[in-house]
Amino acid sequence: MPEHTAASRLRLSGLCFLLQILNILLFAVFVRYSPEGSAGPCPPQLNCSRRNEDSAFQQPRFQGVHVQVLLSFGLLVAFLSRYGPGSAAISVLITAFAIQWAVLTQGVFHFFLNGKIYVGAQSMVSADFCTAAVLISTGAVLGRVSPVQMLLLALLEVTLCTLNEYILLSLMGVSDSGRSLTVHTFGAYFGLMVSRVLYQPHKDKRKREEQQDKGHQTDVFAVVGTIYLWIFWPSFTSTTSTVHHNDENWAVLNTYFSLVASTVSTFILSPVLYEESTPRMVQVQDATLAGMAMMGMAGEMLVTPFGALIAGFLVGLISPLGFRFFTPVLRSRLKIQDTCGVHNTHGLPGILGALLGTLLTLLATADTYGYRLELVFPLVAQGSRTVTDQAIIQLSALPLTLLLAGLGGCLTG
């Protein structure tokens, strides 16, 4: 047993060394700072419209995204008493590697010019979003894969996540600023398919109880994670929003309305489903995530305040029902062991958010959106697409994301 442990440590150390050296070499050859954030001339091939956005990028918003990825997502997988401290440390490792790899892979699609990848603040934020999808996936396989395997998962998932994002946002013109599809849905179902391929009946049956041991002493992780979700997630979802500066940011407001309604829903339904009179913080954390994932695509659309409350209220009811009834079906019938319940907190709310965004797209007219129409749906505002065409494209992005996530998860598993 000590020899096996020593070999595992050496494998992790060696893989970290090789991957970091690879990143350093690739950065040295390809990566340069973008001229978009400087005062000098900008090559016409680059998107110089982002110059002001990059040069005046607000530091608090930039920090908010990093805090969200490191603390909120890291602590979300730290509530299991057996795996909490270790999983928090591994999540930092995965984040450190995935950000570097995402800068490279996304740079090939979005910031590549004359053989170089030009990076700035916006490319770092995009890398954070991709890293968030990886951390969601790790929640589905927590306790069942080694750190070495998690690094390999991150290597493959970042590549496929970048491809999915490029197809949806750049080629298809899908509006998904809060990443219902490219982060929540993709990350959840990628991880679930990895879990399905790794299914081992006897081993999983033996470990099931200890992996799902959510002791009260570990609720402190859920408390801190939930607090950071409330503070930083609206800025996380609105970082790539089309409206900045002093304009009214619907994404932030709709996200807040959705999360407060979903939180209240937990206190309505949990005492009915479980014997505890007051929901535990883990359940509040799950409801918070579900309400926020619901507003990923629809956040900056014409949801209206009461519409965001209704959407959050409903998803706050659906998520605990999923934990109570659907998770056992995943485990017994589909042979998928979802350690942290990412299907109920990210996958299902992400799908519902995409469907809500599709319905709201049909309301995208100049009368209802005003100047925001060009920001949210530029092709519709320019007359290149009708509202119906845009809605069909928004809807078709869902099965495409599920297909890429499913195939990628099978390959990675």
Side-chain angles (χ1 to χ4, degrees):
M1 189 65 176
E3 293 180 357
H4 176 71
T5 304
S8 299
R9 292 199 304 267
L10 290 177
R11 281 197 296 268
L12 178 60
S13 176
L15 182 61
C16 288
F17 177 78
L18 291 176
L19 291 178
Q20 188 58 49
I21 293 299
L22 175 63
N23 281 330
I24 290 175
L25 293 176
L26 291 176
F27 266 67
V29 174
F30 295 107
V31 178
R32 300 292 184 270
Y33 286 121
S34 174
E36 296 173 13
S38 64
C42 178
Q45 297 90 338
L46 289 178
N47 184 7
C48 294
S49 63
R50 289 183 176 176
R51 176 190 296 271
N52 294 332
E53 179 181 335
D54 232 21
S55 61
F57 197 81
Q58 299 178 8
Q59 186 68 9
R61 300 181 69 183
F62 195 35
Q63 290 176 339
V65 176
H66 285 295
V67 170
Q68 183 66 43
V69 171
L70 281 170
L71 285 178
S72 297
F73 278 104
L75 292 173
L76 293 182
V77 297
F79 61 86
L80 300 178
S81 59
R82 179 177 174 86
Y83 303 105
S87 63
I90 295 302
S91 70
V92 176
L93 170 63
I94 299 302
T95 301
F97 167 72
I99 286 178
Q100 298 176 69
W101 189 242
V103 167
L104 290 168
T105 56
Q106 292 183 336
V108 172
F109 289 101
H110 301 289
F111 308 102
F112 196 78
L113 174 65
N114 297 330
K116 302 298 180 183
I117 297 172
Y118 291 92
V119 301
Q122 193 59 37
S123 58
M124 286 298 296
V125 170
S126 298
D128 278 333
F129 273 101
C130 194
T131 301
V134 176
L135 293 176
I136 291 172
S137 298
T138 60
V141 297
L142 181 64
R144 304 171 62 231
V145 298
S146 67
V148 170
Q149 292 171 314
M150 283 197 176
L151 277 176
L152 295 176
L153 182 149
L155 179 69
L156 293 172
E157 184 173 1
V158 165
T159 305
L160 293 172
C161 181
T162 300
L163 177 62
N164 181 65
E165 180 182 286
Y166 176 73
I167 294 174
L168 264 60
L169 304 184
S170 298
L171 298 183
M172 297 176 60
V174 174
S175 177
D176 188 24
S177 65
R179 303 302 198 261
S180 280
L181 289 175
T182 56
V183 171
H184 296 284
T185 304
F186 185 91
Y189 289 100
F190 187 98
L192 290 173
M193 291 308 299
V194 173
S195 179
R196 175 62 184 89
V197 175
L198 297 179
Y199 177 74
Q200 296 175 300
H202 302 293
K203 184 177 180 180
D204 286 346
K205 183 177 180 180
R206 185 173 64 251
K207 286 190 173 184
R208 187 179 304 159
E209 288 80 10
E210 63 184 22
Q211 283 185 340
Q212 293 184 346
D213 174 25
K214 303 175 184 179
H216 286 276
Q217 71 275 13
T218 60
D219 269 3
V220 63
F221 288 111
V223 171
V224 178
T226 303
I227 290 174
Y228 276 102
L229 284 172
W230 277 66
I231 295 174
F232 290 103
W233 191 289
S235 64
F236 180 78
T237 57
S238 64
T239 300
T240 58
S241 178
T242 54
V243 180
H244 299 285
H245 307 302
N246 296 324
D247 292 322
E248 182 183 14
N249 198 326
W250 290 354
V252 173
L253 299 176
N254 288 327
T255 301
Y256 270 122
F257 290 137
S258 180
L259 76 89
V260 296
S262 63
T263 301
V264 173
S265 295
T266 299
F267 285 83
I268 296 173
L269 196 57
S270 291
V272 178
L273 297 176
Y274 305 97
E275 296 180 355
E276 298 174 342
S277 59
T278 304
R280 294 180 54 195
M281 277 305 300
V282 171
Q283 295 170 321
V284 177
Q285 170 186 276
D286 294 336
T288 302
L289 274 170
M292 294 170 173
M294 185 72 173
M295 284 295 111
M297 178 182 289
E300 65 176 0
M301 299 181 186
L302 192 63
V303 183
T304 70
F306 78 90
L309 288 175
I310 293 175
F313 177 77
L314 293 177
V315 80
L317 296 176
I318 293 173
S319 180
L321 287 173
F323 276 102
R324 184 65 176 84
F325 299 107
F326 198 72
T327 297
V329 174
L330 282 178
R331 185 171 57 243
S332 61
R333 299 292 180 85
L334 301 180
K335 311 302 180 184
I336 298 175
Q337 184 171 340
D338 186 4
T339 307
C340 294
V342 298
H343 176 265
N344 305 305
T345 56
H346 296 281
L348 188 57
I351 291 177
L352 295 175
L355 295 176
L356 176 61
T358 300
L359 292 176
L360 293 173
T361 302
L362 297 174
L363 303 177
T365 63
D367 293 335
T368 56
Y369 275 66
Y371 75 95
R372 298 178 63 95
L373 181 63
E374 185 176 358
L375 301 174
V376 181
F377 300 109
L379 296 179
V380 174
Q382 297 167 8
S384 302
R385 286 180 185 169
T386 65
V387 172
T388 304
D389 292 337
Q390 183 67 40
I392 293 174
I393 289 176
Q394 297 283 130
L395 182 61
S396 63
L398 176 57
L400 178 59
T401 298
L402 293 174
L403 176 63
L404 289 175
L407 293 178
C410 288
L411 173 65
T412 302

